[in-house]
Amino acid sequence: MGRRKNNQTSTSLNNTQHQATKVCFDDDEEEENINLDDSIVATEKAIAMDDVTMSDPNAPFVDGGDDDKTSADYYFDSYSHFGIHEEMLKDGVRTKTYQNVIFQNKFLFKDKVVLDVGAGTGILSLFCAKAGAAHVYAVECSHIANMAKEIVESNGFSNVITVLKGKIEDIELPVAKVDIIISEWMGYFLLFENMLDSVLYARDKWLVNDGIVLPDKASLYLTAIEDAEYKEDKIEFWNNVYGFDMTCIKKQAMGEPLVDTVDQNQIVTNCQLLKTMDISKMVSGDTSFTVPFKLVAERDDYIHALVAYFDVSFTKCHKLMGFSTGPRSRATHWKQTVLYLEDVLTICQGEALIGSMTVAPNKKNPRDIDITINYSLNGRRCVASRTQHYKMR
């Protein structure tokens, strides 16, 4: 899975949502005068290392590191580094939405027991505690859990928040049931890293019968884009590298989805809903699926890639809330997922690119995703049909 270089900001900051999703994201609607920047700064200060530790290149970021870690532990080890959490905390769309969901719906949290799955620095747990939760259990597997404990203590919530280090599947809670499960489990392409299974496990084991999962809805979308310039630079480059044939690498590059921000002006077709997941009811196997798609051209153009993105919704709030990671919405750290096509498709307005997408966790590493796309175009100027396989890793 790749990323474009030197593209840290969105090329599209248009707040207009596609018509398929209507959610509330209003930075001005808050019950309290809460400054997100202050919350993030306080968290980052607690994460920062002292000068002595920072000057020691052999010192671990957090105490308690194991010397016998293997590559199987890389996923959780990667979340021990503060940089990942800094990126997520500074994603205002993500963090501000969760903050608004909690602070504008305190009636959901008042005197309730909350489970935060994959708590990271504990920011969501802190929001819940401040909203009046009776107790919050913050479960985090990576070594950042040690920092989360310090953050909780530094902010005076040790009597309300208990940080538990370990995999949600391995730990035991001090209580039999919880009223609310909250988690920011979404990965690139919604399902990359497969953290959703951990949320479903926690739901089935600890959530009361009438309990709430936040967020409770997630939807995956697909569209098609013109992207000649970057495909030439990223993919076709391997055809002739200083006079040498390196097309074997081109095949690999084609099979690795690219995480990047797509300019909304590149969009050639409609945006189609592929699948909606109800987190409160779905089962683990629902993350494997095959769905059809029909993308209709809105203008005469070329199609070089398909683009996937997702929306999440909090439907249990007083007012529907959520956010989109689509090209027509404010940029997030999830960006969009670009899947390049081997063919360059010449499509005319009104013509349809039809096909199907199959998504499943990789059998060897379920945190990776295998994607298969079948597509065909029977147009006036282009006829094409192909099956392509991708792997997010």
Side-chain angles (χ1 to χ4, degrees), residues 37-90:
D37 292 335
D38 291 344
S39 300
I40 292 174
V41 169
T43 304
E44 290 172 348
K45 285 182 178 178
I47 292 175
M49 301 297 291
D50 58 54
D51 292 339
V52 174
T53 303
M54 290 297 288
S55 65
D56 182 1
N58 298 314
F61 170 63
V62 290
D63 295 332
D66 297 327
D67 294 331
D68 57 352
K69 290 283 187 183
T70 69
S71 60
D73 300 290
Y74 172 75
Y75 168 75
F76 295 107
D77 263 358
S78 67
Y79 279 85
S80 297
H81 193 274
F82 75 92
I84 291 178
H85 299 280
E86 178 183 2
E87 180 184 31
M88 292 188 291
L89 288 168
K90 288 181 175 178

Side-chain angles (χ1 to χ4, degrees), residues 18-34:
H18 51 75
Q19 294 181 355
T21 303
K22 296 180 180 179
V23 294
C24 173
F25 186 163
D26 190 339
D27 292 352
D28 297 327
E29 293 184 10
E30 294 191 42
E31 292 182 3
E32 297 183 10
N33 183 19
I34 303 297

